Amino acid sequence: MLRINCPFCGTRDHTEFGYGGDGSIIYPQLDEAPEEWIKAVFERENIAGPQVETWQHLHGCRMWLRVCRDTVTHEVLSVTPAHPEMAILGDIE
Amino acid sequence: MNSLRLAAGGMIDRSSPLTFHWDNRRLEGFKGDTLASALLANGETVVARSFKYHRPRGVMSAGCEEAGALATVGEGAFADPNVTMTTQELYDGLVARGQNAWPSVRWDIGAVLGVFGRFLSAGFYYKTFMGLPPFETGRGTGAWMFYEKFIRRSAGLGTVSRSSDPDRYEHDNLYCDVLVVGGGISGIAAALTAAKEGLDVVLAEQDFNVGGDLLNQRSSNQGASHRCHLQSLNDAGVRVMLRTTAFGLYENGVVGLLERRQPSLKASLRQKLYTLRAKHIVLACGAIERPLAFGNNDRPGIMSASGGRAYANRYAVLPGRAVVVATNNSSAYQTAIDLADAGASVTLLDTRRNVEPALADMLKSRNIALHMSTGPCNVQGRQRIRAVELAHRDEDRWTRKNTIPCDSLLVSGGWSPVVHLQSQRGGRPVWDDMRQCFLPDASVEGITFVGAAAGHLIGTDCETSGHAAGEAIAGKIKRSGSTVQPTPLRDPPVKTDPTLLVEPNNPKKAFVDPLNDVTVSDIRLARQEGFVSVEHLKRYTTLGMGNDQGKVGNVIGLAIMAAAQGTSIPDVGTTRFRPPYTPISLGALAGPAIDEHFKLVRRTPMHDWNLGQGTVFTDAGLWQRTWYFPRDRETLSEAHLREAATVRRTVGMCDVTSLGKIAVQGPDSARFLDRVYANAMAKLAVGRARYGIMLRDDGIVMDDGTVWRESEDQFIITTTTTNAGKVMTFLEELLQVRWPDLRVHVTSVTDQWAGFSLAGPLSRDALQACLASGESVSNDACLFMTFFDTKLKSGVSCRIARISFSGELAYEVYVSSSYGGHLAQMLASEVEARGGCQYGLEALGTLRIEKGHVTGAELDGRVTLEDAGLGGMASKKKPFIGSTLRNRPELMKGDRPRLVGIVPMDRTATFNAGSILCLPEKVSGFGEGWVTSVTHSPALGHWIGLGFIKGGHGEWADRIVVAADPLRASAVDVQIVSPQMFDPEGARLHG
């Protein structure tokens, strides 16, 4: 089981969280060209190693988080709020 | 046979006799016995039949690695199959019976299979019954499926009870600094040291006593020392969990623990499954003694040397009076000594050429005959061994020697540290030539091995390693010290002999994995047939599968494979062990999540009131929604058609509380909703509502609902019942991840509002009668797609929206949740006074199909706006989620399946949802489209349906199509029409 250190609530089991997706994607503007959107929606790296993902603390604070997880060892390397203004506040503990 | 129970010693309580039943016979044991020790004390030798050959089997060990003594414990619904008797604590009234045998384990008809043993090699059934002579007729799968049921019946172990388990199982969570797995000498030392350093320590021990191998030592006061250990652990604040197995190790220090409660005969809390999170894990799980492979090495009376010692010392049962001990290492000498001291006559065979002189002297002083360079190559006796045939080793060749009579043969093939839990986490065990075993991989972070599990051979070394680990972990946790280094191993004076196989005359009957009936020749056959990789070997022969999980036969199997290939064990490698370490019942995994607790249930505030109306409920996501309201034993179809017809004729009311409701608030709310919905929302006027549809990023329809504007910067949006959570999460993601600049907040308010839909020509009249004086729902006061807040005649505040899903004049009425029942009662009396009724989800379905309104059956994650006939809703003036990718050429093709209405050519005919729409000349393949929803339409007087077909109804105007349902052998000629089948002009809406 993964244990995710929610910056708002503390370390919790992954069963409290919902998996979002690839956290490295920068979504294009809504009216941007289809090529950009196809890249953002369909094209994914199959990473063996540290990977940035988004998770939501569904059964907790409902905040979206950016989680760096090693896909080989399941080690969670870092957790920050996905909201950029909150992310720069760093570890809220 | 007279009793083998010793008059004194051991850890059994002779003052507490217990009665139990074995195969319908009443026997006696003592408190402190296991089922196995009690049966041995009663002289029972054959206690089980083997998996494949139905060979008689006795007790082969004294631990969880037991491969022979498996039984069914409990009766009727309580029956628990495949219980290892060696770990089953004896209790008063225990009922156990032998399994995989008829009529009994002592006389088993199935044993005839053993006669044909030479044919039943690895892969026999598959090779034969999939089509080799004489079964070549009907080759392949068909033949196999025929023979399989007979084959399955003859192989196997116990059978499960068919009744529901009356016992309770619970789940719980635990947290600690250090988890110590194993309560032997090293585990106790580690736990005590860590606890004295102030750490929070849990010690899990699978036995019902702490002490580990200390319990098996010959002394007059094991009982006292056990109590003393328990006392000091308790005093130090260690949480000791007895009867608890750590069955699985997972990432981030998460451990699965299974606690078996003290057994009883009543329905009670049987097992508890804990999820424990530890900062550090100490594995003090000891080592398992391996057998040796030789002819008939599975006969009753043969067991592990350590097992024999445990029965003599801990349980005060002599395994036999004339005992032969066979070993390839020094550990079994203690067994020989203890048994001689307990009164047995003992002979010791050692495959090695020499031994420590001190050990040899100890044997001599007890008159124990010692044969060096000697091993057993075969045994005589079926139901119990009578004699051992010896073989002498000269270099690498074994030659038959004499035969010595005996009634017990205790075997030691060396020790395998229990590295299972770490292997589950991906640790790769390392082969150690000196000890002839796999040692744990030291590189897995957060796990420290101590004691015999780490490869220590001497008690004092085990204790030292435990202390050292406790201290190092305290340093790591309390003072953020560096990683915990294991204590270095000390080599034994004489190494373990690599001999694991004393070459028998008939390798067919030399068992490597007795639990799965895998023999030496099976391993060789696997190699011959190319199954050389260990993973292939395992699957081809079933070596180390099931209960065993590599505990007993793994190393011998690898050694034989290595010898056959001319390589070494580390070159052959080992398989990865899987959880659970010992079997877990499904009941424990399910825990309390059974029956009505299987999943969460959401009920509306009107649930109880609905129950009083005789409602039948159905599941919609987690919600329990009203399905239909049967009157006078109406069936579902009678009731819902009456309800739907009543709505069209007078008025009906339906609980719609479960619709998702989200409050969207903040200065940028309008901009936000404009981006989320495909249609324009920004200019929606205050007090008005609008149907809205949202897409996914890829341009496919995600959900639909309504948007109500409460003020400039406040909206309420509704979602479908089942997508409420998904939409909420999506909106939160957009606001936190993609558009953090938008000043918007979303809140789920689904549970805050209770609501009814009121539909039908008399709905306005009925609603008006419920309102406070001066309030009005006249056409002027409440236009179509508007809402306003008002008061019921009781003074309760409510919100009324004129929204219709049924195509009738209709309203939705919402109150604060706590007034749900009140609203229901008030509306019901006015509705009934006008000849109306309540309607449920089924009637709602009929009404919406008549109108061609889509739900989840149509919006199945493959449908675009155009497919659903809603292309006109997409705004061309603004971009929105999915606006770019919905225009992909493939999604814009004119011949994509489009939403259509379907009616049977013969208006009396009916057809099925799920049917494939085909051309009459080609009723096969994927067809031209499919049917999503079907109902009888009371308004039209015949069956209708919705579905999708290439190009939409315009393409199919005058053509006959077949709705084919080959699974239910139905094919009906249908006509494709517009999805708006009833009141296409929408005249009734405006009533």
Side-chain angles (χ1 to χ4, degrees):
Chain A
M1 174 158 12
L2 292 180
R3 299 269 289 158
I4 297 174
N5 186 10
C6 172
F8 303 97
C9 307
T11 304
R12 298 285 191 276
D13 288 353
H14 79 241
T15 48
E16 288 187 15
F17 297 80
Y19 178 74
D22 188 336
S24 68
I25 304 168
I26 298 162
Y27 280 90
Q29 295 292 312
L30 289 176
D31 51 3
E32 211 144 340
E35 294 71 36
E36 294 304 308
W37 271 101
I38 283 168
K39 236 182 255 170
V41 174
F42 296 112
E43 290 175 11
R44 294 286 180 276
E45 297 289 323
N46 187 9
I47 294 169
Q51 164 171 292
V52 181
E53 301 167 341
T54 56
W55 289 73
Q56 186 188 18
H57 198 184
L58 270 182
H59 304 292
C61 58
R62 291 200 69 90
M63 294 307 288
W64 277 88
L65 307 171
R66 217 174 286 278
V67 175
C68 184
R69 178 179 68 98
D70 191 312
T71 59
V72 177
T73 62
H74 287 317
E75 192 184 351
V76 174
L77 303 165
S78 71
V79 187
T80 52
H83 195 292
E85 281 165 40
M86 292 178 177
I88 53 171
L89 296 176
D91 246 351
I92 307 164
E93 267 195 295
Chain B
M1 184 176 286
N2 47 2
S3 174
L4 292 162
R5 183 78 80 176
L6 298 169
M11 284 193 58
I12 49 164
D13 180 358
R14 288 179 176 77
S15 64
S16 306
L18 303 173
T19 307
F20 68 101
H21 296 266
W22 166 247
D23 267 352
N24 300 320
R25 279 175 303 133
R26 196 167 164 279
L27 300 175
E28 281 203 350
F30 295 109
K31 190 169 189 298
D33 262 327
T34 60
L35 178 54
S37 68
L39 285 175
L40 285 174
N42 281 283
E44 293 293 323
T45 50
V46 181
V47 296
R49 286 280 166 169
S50 77
F51 184 69
K52 200 159 113 180
Y53 303 128
H54 290 249
R55 284 169 72 94
R57 291 280 164 83
V59 176
M60 300 175 105
S61 75
C64 69
E65 71 272 26
E66 178 63 29
L70 267 57
T72 299
V73 174
E75 287 181 294
F78 290 93
D80 200 358
N82 305 339
V83 173
T84 45
M85 300 183 208
T86 47
T87 58
Q88 175 62 55
E89 191 176 353
L90 196 68
Y91 57 91
D92 205 36
L94 180 145
V95 179
R97 60 177 197 275
Q99 50 187 36
N100 198 29
W102 188 88
S104 80
V105 290
R106 282 182 296 176
W107 308 108
D108 175 23
I109 300 290
V112 73
L113 276 172
V115 178
F116 301 107
R118 70 189 204 86
F119 300 112
L120 299 176
S121 55
F124 164 78
Y125 289 113
Y126 294 101
K127 285 182 218 163
T128 308
F129 293 96
M130 283 191 175
L132 281 176
F135 301 102
E136 68 267 71
T137 50
R139 275 179 95 95
T141 326
W144 171 251
M145 287 170 81
F146 174 75
Y147 294 119
E148 187 185 15
K149 50 182 180 283
F150 300 103
I151 295 165
R152 297 272 179 229
R153 205 173 297 159
S154 78
L157 296 167
T159 45
V160 291
S161 155
R162 295 271 170 179
S163 358
S164 161
D165 190 341
D167 282 318
R168 278 190 303 119
Y169 299 85
E170 284 182 3
H171 287 178
D172 206 347
N173 294 290
L174 284 175
Y175 300 83
C176 65
D177 291 325
V178 186
L179 168 71
V180 179
V181 181
I185 186 165
S186 60
I188 292 172
L192 282 177
T193 313
K196 281 174 185 158
E197 289 270 5
L199 297 183
D200 179 11
V201 183
V202 171
L203 185 144
E205 168 55 56
Q206 62 188 357
D207 203 328
F208 48 93
N209 281 322
V210 291
D213 193 51
L214 294 175
L215 302 170
N216 302 331
Q217 290 179 8
R218 184 166 177 81
S219 78
S220 48
N221 61 349
Q222 299 115 305
S225 88
H226 153 70
R227 278 189 296 278
C228 167
H229 284 305
L230 205 53
Q231 188 61 46
S232 46
L233 286 166
N234 285 333
D235 289 348
V238 175
R239 288 183 273 166
V240 179
M241 300 174 73
L242 294 177
R243 305 177 179 85
T244 302
T245 305
F247 62 82
L249 235 60
Y250 306 92
E251 299 85 20
N252 301 297
V254 177
V255 186
L257 299 173
L258 184 76
E259 180 186 21
R260 294 168 295 279
R261 286 306 174 96
Q262 213 138 15
S264 78
L265 293 172
K266 307 187 294 290
S268 57
L269 176 55
R270 180 85 159 278
Q271 294 179 351
K272 217 166 159 176
L273 188 125
Y274 294 90
T275 308
L276 177 140
R277 297 106 182 137
K279 292 184 187 147
H280 201 99
I281 296 161
V282 176
L283 294 180
C285 17
I288 288 174
E289 193 169 39
R290 298 186 295 256
L292 293 168
F294 52 87
N296 293 306
N297 62 341
D298 65 326
R299 288 295 185 212
I302 302 178
M303 69 167 79
S304 67
S306 59
R309 180 162 161 259
Y311 287 113
N313 294 344
R314 176 175 172 180
Y315 300 106
V317 184
L318 265 191
R321 297 189 197 285
V323 178
V324 174
V325 178
T327 185
N328 67 355
N329 65 89
S330 301
S331 72
Y333 281 68
Q334 192 62 49
T335 300
I337 291 164
D338 286 355
L339 283 167
D341 289 350
S345 80
V346 182
T347 307
L348 197 145
L349 319 176
D350 193 332
T351 60
R352 299 175 297 178
R353 232 169 284 155
N354 47 40
V355 67
E356 298 95 309
L359 282 179
D361 291 345
M362 286 167 82
L363 296 195
K364 199 174 283 172
S365 68
R366 287 170 173 83
N367 282 326
I368 300 171
L370 174 61
H371 304 270
M372 298 309 291
S373 296
T374 306
C377 69
N378 197 9
V379 297
Q380 296 169 4
R382 287 179 64 82
Q383 301 258 328
R384 166 139 212 160
I385 60 164
R386 290 193 316 269
V388 183
E389 297 171 11
L390 305 191
H392 185 267
R393 182 161 75 171
D394 197 12
E395 294 305 317
D396 274 338
R397 288 195 44 238
W398 291 94
T399 38
R400 276 282 306 279
K401 242 171 64 177
N402 55 324
T403 297
I404 49 176
C406 68
D407 60 358
S408 170
L409 174 57
L410 307 180
V411 181
S412 177
W415 292 82
S416 296
V418 177
V419 296
H420 292 66
L421 290 173
Q422 192 207 31
S423 168
Q424 293 174 4
R425 287 281 291 106
R428 292 181 181 279
V430 190
W431 180 254
D432 181 275
D433 207 49
M434 173 62 73
R435 289 165 190 76
Q436 290 291 306
C437 67
F438 283 102
L439 292 179
D441 173 1
S443 73
V444 180
E445 182 55 29
I447 300 174
T448 306
F449 276 85
V450 297
H456 294 287
L457 301 167
I458 309 164
T460 49
D461 288 0
C462 290
E463 197 168 4
T464 312
S465 74
H467 279 304
E471 268 168 29
I473 292 161
K476 182 189 135 195
I477 292 178
K478 285 169 62 190
R479 298 178 284 276
S480 344
S482 57
T483 48
V484 180
Q485 295 298 329
T487 310
L489 296 177
R490 191 148 48 133
D491 287 340
V494 181
K495 65 178 263 186
T496 299
D497 184 25
T499 299
L500 288 168
L501 168 67
V502 180
E503 189 65 63
N505 303 329
N506 182 0
K508 261 289 177 219
K509 287 176 180 165
F511 287 83
V512 171
D513 174 355
L515 182 78
N516 294 302
D517 270 353
V518 178
T519 63
V520 170
S521 63
D522 286 332
I523 309 275
R524 289 177 177 160
L525 181 70
R527 186 197 153 260
Q528 243 175 44
E529 300 194 341
F531 296 92
V532 173
S533 143
V534 271
E535 299 288 354
H536 288 159
L537 170 68
K538 172 178 172 180
R539 279 145 191 90
Y540 189 60
T541 60
T542 69
L543 171 70
M545 289 207 182
N547 273 26
D548 180 62
Q549 279 306 302
K551 293 184 192 79
V552 173
N554 229 36
V555 171
I556 309 183
L558 299 177
I560 292 162
M561 178 59 93
Q565 288 204 84
T567 58
S568 63
I569 289 179
D571 288 335
V572 175
T574 183
T575 54
R576 183 167 171 175
F577 300 119
R578 308 285 174 187
Y581 173 63
T582 52
I584 306 180
S585 63
L586 289 176
L589 291 174
I594 53 167
D595 300 332
E596 71 269 31
H597 303 296
F598 179 65
K599 61 173 186 176
L600 295 176
V601 171
R602 297 180 78 180
R603 298 190 176 102
T604 73
M606 291 81 100
H607 189 84
D608 289 349
W609 186 82
N610 284 326
L611 271 179
Q613 306 298 305
T615 318
V616 179
F617 290 93
T618 185
D619 290 344
L622 298 175
W623 285 98
Q624 293 241 284
R625 288 199 69 178
T626 54
W627 189 9
Y628 62 102
F629 297 79
R631 286 180 185 168
D632 310 324
R633 297 194 194 161
E634 277 177 329
T635 62
L636 164 65
S637 90
E638 288 162 355
H640 93 270
L641 293 177
R642 171 183 51 74
E643 291 164 20
T646 306
V647 170
R648 298 256 185 252
R649 195 173 61 243
T650 55
V651 57
M653 60 186 278
C654 178
D655 183 352
V656 294
T657 304
S658 64
L659 289 180
K661 294 174 281 292
I662 299 169
V664 180
Q665 296 162 313
D668 293 323
S669 298
R671 273 177 71 198
F672 175 58
L673 293 179
D674 230 20
R675 293 185 193 177
V676 170
Y677 284 98
N679 47 331
M681 289 296 167
K683 291 198 180 115
L684 182 66
V686 173
R688 300 207 59 115
R690 183 173 288 170
Y691 176 73
I693 192 152
M694 49 176 85
L695 308 186
R696 308 190 306 218
D697 281 322
D698 62 358
I700 300 290
V701 175
M702 179 160 89
D703 195 48
D704 65 346
T706 54
V707 178
W708 312 6
R709 189 164 203 167
E710 296 180 295
S711 70
E712 269 313 299
D713 50 12
Q714 290 197 46
F715 294 79
I716 294 278
I717 68 170
T718 68
T719 70
T720 57
T721 297
T722 44
N723 280 337
K726 189 166 121 184
V727 170
M728 183 67 190
T729 279
F730 184 54
L731 299 184
E732 285 167 329
E733 181 182 6
L734 292 174
L735 289 170
Q736 291 178 38
V737 184
R738 283 199 222 175
W739 305 324
D741 56 314
L742 289 185
R743 291 161 301 163
V744 179
H745 194 83
V746 288
T747 314
S748 167
V749 292
T750 303
D751 291 318
Q752 275 65 30
W753 297 87
F756 271 100
S757 142
L758 209 56
L762 298 182
S763 60
R764 177 183 290 144
D765 195 32
L767 183 54
Q768 182 66 54
C770 296
L771 296 186
S773 66
E775 303 294 336
S776 166
V777 280
S778 68
N779 210 10
D780 294 337
C782 187
L783 287 167
F784 182 55
M785 294 310 270
T786 62
F787 70 95
F788 66 108
D789 293 343
T790 178
K791 276 190 165 40
L792 297 173
K793 62 185 173 193
S794 57
V796 171
S797 301
C798 70
R799 171 170 290 180
I800 293 172
R802 192 164 155 200
I803 288 172
S804 176
F805 192 52
S806 55
E808 295 297 317
L809 172 68
Y811 300 85
E812 282 178 12
V813 189
Y814 287 96
V815 292
S816 172
S817 293
S818 44
Y819 290 105
H822 168 71
L823 175 68
Q825 214 147 9
M826 186 179 287
L827 288 177
S829 65
E830 296 302 335
V831 164
E832 277 154 25
R834 284 161 183 79
C837 70
Q838 291 159 68
Y839 65 102
L841 208 54
E842 198 71 19
L844 193 72
T846 294
L847 296 168
R848 68 100 192 166
I849 295 169
E850 289 176 335
K851 289 296 295 175
H853 290 162
V854 289
T855 60
E858 286 74 36
L859 303 179
D860 63 356
R862 298 180 295 175
V863 168
T864 66
L865 282 175
E866 279 72 16
D867 296 345
L870 300 168
M873 285 186 69
S875 170
K876 292 185 179 63
K877 294 184 184 141
K878 53 138 198 179
F880 49 89
I881 293 274
S883 62
T884 305
L885 292 184
R886 70 181 285 271
N887 289 321
R888 280 177 285 162
E890 193 62 31
L891 297 185
M892 284 312 216
K893 275 190 175 167
D895 65 347
R896 275 179 66 85
R898 295 283 161 89
L899 183 73
V900 292
I902 300 156
V903 295
M905 295 299 290
D906 169 5
R907 292 292 194 263
T908 62
T910 149
F911 57 106
N912 296 324
S915 297
I916 302 170
L917 296 172
C918 299
L919 296 170
E921 62 271 22
K922 192 174 174 255
V923 184
S924 64
F926 294 107
E928 309 296 310
W930 61 93
V931 182
T932 52
S933 312
V934 169
T935 182
H936 184 269
S937 164
L940 297 170
H942 56 81
W943 286 79
I944 58 170
L946 290 176
F948 291 85
I949 194 165
K950 280 178 189 164
H953 70 273
E955 296 286 312
W956 298 84
D958 300 311
R959 299 164 70 179
I960 293 176
V961 174
V962 177
D965 185 357
L967 287 178
R968 283 170 284 195
S970 142
V972 179
D973 288 349
V974 295
Q975 192 183 346
I976 304 298
V977 297
S978 154
Q980 288 86 37
M981 287 169 279
F982 178 70
D983 184 27
E985 305 79 28
R988 302 177 67 91
L989 264 183
H990 302 284

